[in-house]
Amino acid sequence: MRIALFVTCLADTLFPEAAKATVRLLERLGHEVVFPEEQTCCGQMHVNTGYADEAVRLVRRHVRVFAPYDVVVAPSGSCVGSVRHQHATVARRAGDERLASRAEEVAARTHELSELLVDVLGMTDVGAYFPHRVTYHPTCHSLRMIRVGDRPLRLLRAVRGLELAELPQAEQCCGFGGTFAVKNADTSTAMLADKMRAVLATRADVCTAGDASCLMHIGGGLSRLRAGVRTVHLAEILASTEADAHGAGRDVAGVAR
């Protein structure tokens, strides 16, 4: 299958390993991954902060860039949520029904990574190896907007060597929410403290999720606590193999064997 990678801003600028891992994983499974170089921001941060008019050009570009592909994948529930739930609305608000229809067509072919693996490719065991105790944080947009459900957990349970620890109050927001963390810093910090307590209660070595944004927030807090718990994107865990670990002397979490 030929799959287009929608890299997302955060992966492109701050967490490229999540995007690289997505490519490695899909290629290992026998698929061709292409990267349309004209892609830019999907416009989510513009829409979420009240700049819907400015987002129209970004929606138009996104649709033009990804329309030629039958399957699009992104290592982000948040950005996939924007494509599915904001793009057509933004276009219709601007009075462009043709763009709205095209946006809906692209959105129907756009998948978050765990959705693509489980629903489109029909896989839960992707041949991954990750010998650590791991807890999974279901990010708000993946949980509530695109409803990935237990797909990430099904994938993690099939990873060899991985011990999955249930996260207490897992559905509670970590407090990031993009600009929410900046505009409501005190509330965000309190929510993060609750999430970190829950993560530490699992005695996990690694906290994973499908969104780099939430992992950035949680990981920043854990690093300041010097808690010894790493945050690793779901794609990096699924891309990790026993051969990779033996060859590198360290696994993807950066832990020496």
Side-chain angles (χ1 to χ4, degrees), residues 79-107:
C79 295
V80 170
S82 177
V83 170
R84 288 190 192 164
H85 296 281
Q86 292 181 338
H87 280 195
T89 300
V90 166
R92 287 198 173 93
R93 183 181 180 276
D96 194 334
E97 184 59 39
R98 182 172 180 274
L99 176 61
S101 296
R102 293 183 67 209
E104 288 174 339
E105 292 172 1
V106 172

Side-chain angles (χ1 to χ4, degrees), residues 33-118:
V33 183
V34 295
F35 178 74
E37 293 185 4
E38 289 186 83
Q39 64 181 284
T40 58
C41 176
C42 66
Q44 177 183 179
M45 62 181 178
H46 300 72
V47 177
N48 290 353
T49 50
Y51 292 90
D53 291 340
E54 287 78 2
V56 176
R57 288 182 298 173
L58 294 168
V59 171
R60 185 171 289 114
R61 185 183 188 94
H62 186 92
V63 168
R64 175 173 59 80
V65 169
F66 287 102
Y69 301 97
D70 292 331
V71 179
V72 181
V73 67
S76 167
S78 180
C79 295
V80 170
S82 177
V83 170
R84 288 190 192 164
H85 296 281
Q86 292 181 338
H87 280 195
T89 300
V90 166
R92 287 198 173 93
R93 183 181 180 276
D96 194 334
E97 184 59 39
R98 182 172 180 274
L99 176 61
S101 296
R102 293 183 67 209
E104 288 174 339
E105 292 172 1
V106 172
R109 302 193 296 270
T110 302
H111 309 274
E112 181 268 343
L113 179 60
S114 72
E115 291 180 317
L116 176 74
L117 292 169
V118 176

Side-chain angles (χ1 to χ4, degrees), residues 12-240:
D12 183 46
T13 57
L14 294 175
F15 299 97
E17 288 308 316
K20 292 177 183 178
T22 300
V23 175
R24 288 199 309 274
L25 170 63
L26 293 174
E27 288 183 342
R28 189 178 79 223
L29 295 176
H31 303 283
E32 178 188 2
V33 183
V34 295
F35 178 74
E37 293 185 4
E38 289 186 83
Q39 64 181 284
T40 58
C41 176
C42 66
Q44 177 183 179
M45 62 181 178
H46 300 72
V47 177
N48 290 353
T49 50
Y51 292 90
D53 291 340
E54 287 78 2
V56 176
R57 288 182 298 173
L58 294 168
V59 171
R60 185 171 289 114
R61 185 183 188 94
H62 186 92
V63 168
R64 175 173 59 80
V65 169
F66 287 102
Y69 301 97
D70 292 331
V71 179
V72 181
V73 67
S76 167
S78 180
C79 295
V80 170
S82 177
V83 170
R84 288 190 192 164
H85 296 281
Q86 292 181 338
H87 280 195
T89 300
V90 166
R92 287 198 173 93
R93 183 181 180 276
D96 194 334
E97 184 59 39
R98 182 172 180 274
L99 176 61
S101 296
R102 293 183 67 209
E104 288 174 339
E105 292 172 1
V106 172
R109 302 193 296 270
T110 302
H111 309 274
E112 181 268 343
L113 179 60
S114 72
E115 291 180 317
L116 176 74
L117 292 169
V118 176
D119 296 345
V120 180
L121 303 181
M123 303 186 72
T124 52
D125 187 345
V126 297
Y129 171 78
F130 193 77
H132 293 285
R133 183 174 172 86
V134 176
T135 193
Y136 168 72
H137 165 62
T139 65
C140 289
H141 284 174
S142 65
L143 183 69
R144 298 176 175 88
M145 286 186 74
I146 64 173
R147 301 183 184 280
V148 300
D150 69 345
R151 293 172 183 84
L153 292 171
R154 289 161 65 187
L155 290 160
L156 288 169
R157 290 186 186 112
V159 175
R160 281 177 282 283
L162 187 148
E163 180 185 357
L164 186 61
E166 183 177 354
L167 182 66
Q169 297 178 312
E171 296 185 2
Q172 183 173 306
C173 176
C174 72
F176 179 60
T179 56
F180 175 85
V182 178
K183 295 178 179 179
N184 303 277
D186 291 343
T187 303
S188 173
T189 300
M191 295 170 74
L192 174 61
D194 288 342
K195 181 59 64 175
M196 289 191 297
R197 275 193 290 270
V199 170
L200 293 175
T202 67
R203 296 180 293 105
D205 305 314
V206 170
C207 175
T208 192
D211 275 282
S213 53
C214 298
L215 290 175
M216 175 176 66
H217 191 55
I218 297 169
L222 291 171
S223 68
R224 288 189 291 275
L225 289 179
R226 300 184 182 277
V229 182
R230 294 177 179 269
T231 50
V232 179
H233 194 283
L234 176 66
E236 295 178 74
I237 292 178
L238 298 179
S240 182

